Amino acid sequence: MSLHPHLASVLATERADCFAAQPRLTQDAMLLELANGVEITVRYAAQDAYSVRWRCPDGKELGIDTAPTHPGLATTPNHLHLAEGLVVADPLTRTGDTAEDNLLRIIDALMQDPLLASECA
């Protein structure tokens, strides 16, 4: 069962003012457009298996995922792909938290700073 319809409902209730359009559900993802122009693709396979990618209005792309490909990071398996191509510890999500809490935390951070400069300082 997909978490995406449930997450779309939570976002509509908890953060409706953050969006330029209603969340769109596809076969395997949820597409979001924030009021500040950030476009987000959310893929949740399970509470602890996710990929959240976003494109900033200036074209820079970042993302957080839980692929077990960076074992040396403090937040393994979750990690952040920066626009410059670096992979660093994920400052926002925790695999033990709910999908709802993680996604709301991401939305809040991206509304403030889509490049997460203050989170990664």
Side-chain angles (χ1 to χ4, degrees):
M1 180 174 145
S2 174
L3 289 170
H4 300 139
H6 170 69
L7 292 171
S9 175
V10 168
L11 293 176
T13 302
E14 299 289 327
R15 298 293 188 280
D17 58 328
C18 293
F19 296 95
Q22 294 292 319
R24 291 180 300 156
L25 300 175
T26 68
Q27 182 176 358
D28 69 342
M30 179 172 54
L31 307 176
L32 307 172
E33 183 181 346
L34 297 182
N36 63 1
V38 174
E39 298 174 348
I40 307 169
T41 301
V42 177
R43 288 187 171 89
Y44 259 90
Q47 291 282 341
D48 61 350
Y50 49 88
S51 170
V52 181
R53 303 275 186 229
W54 61 94
R55 182 186 340 259
C56 301
D58 64 3
K60 293 181 179 173
E61 296 185 19
L62 294 88
I64 292 172
D65 66 70
T66 57
T69 53
H70 303 282
L73 296 174
T75 58
T76 295
N78 45 322
H79 53 275
L80 169 64
H81 296 264
L82 296 173
E84 302 82 25
L86 297 173
V87 178
V88 299
D90 173 7
L92 297 176
T93 71
R94 303 293 171 260
T95 53
D97 288 354
T98 66
E100 297 89 338
D101 287 343
N102 279 330
L103 191 53
L104 290 171
R105 200 174 304 119
I106 291 171
I107 298 298
D108 291 344
L110 297 183
M111 287 297 294
Q112 297 298 314
D113 178 12
L115 294 175
L116 301 181
S118 61
E119 298 288 339
C120 297

